[in-house]
Amino acid sequence: MELPGLGQRCAERTCRRLDFLPLKCDACEEVFCKDHIRYDDHKCSSAYKKNVQVPVCPLCNAPIPVQKGEIPDVVVGAHMDKDCKYNPAQQKQRIFTNKCLKPGCKRKEMMKVVCEQCGGNFCIKHRHPLDHDCKGSSRPTSKA
């Protein structure tokens, strides 16, 4: 027994499936089944309104504006030749540059961790005076 008042038929000419959970295309405003809702699946004539892609420069990661009718590859290539702010030296900057001064430790930290007693730079593991055999001030160090 079919319920004629429920659901809608897919607008794709080759499908026309009765769908009880139809989907409305946000570009052309027609109703489709789950198999034909994508712009390419129903050859949407209004897809250009919604399907906008902005290419990104592979060197500087900046979005490149493309005018209607232009080929994105050509526009990105022109950007790379003229306007690209890519700096190869900037890519090689290291983040972890603060080396631990504890003998035998090779760890590096992003930020300096300076001991208040001896003024040395240490990693997180050796930051406490007892952990790096601090020779700084003669104040007693707590075990806390």
Side-chain angles (χ1 to χ4, degrees), residues 35-56:
D35 296 331
H36 296 107
I37 190 61
R38 290 185 29 220
Y39 300 138
D40 294 338
D41 293 339
H42 69 269
K43 298 171 190 66
C44 187
S45 59
S46 303
Y48 69 92
K49 296 176 186 175
K50 299 286 184 173
N51 196 10
V52 178
Q53 298 176 358
V54 178
V56 175

Side-chain angles (χ1 to χ4, degrees), residues 76-85:
V76 171
H79 163 80
M80 290 167 62
D81 292 339
K82 297 178 195 170
D83 304 327
C84 189
K85 308 246 185 305

Side-chain angles (χ1 to χ4, degrees), residues 1-9 17-22:
M1 182 170 147
E2 201 172 310
L3 302 171
L6 296 177
Q8 291 182 323
R9 296 216 175 259
R17 179 189 305 166
L18 180 62
D19 197 337
F20 295 104
L21 294 173

Side-chain angles (χ1 to χ4, degrees), residues 51-68:
N51 196 10
V52 178
Q53 298 176 358
V54 178
V56 175
C57 176
L59 300 177
C60 66
N61 288 328
I64 312 299
V66 178
Q67 302 300 322
K68 191 173 182 178

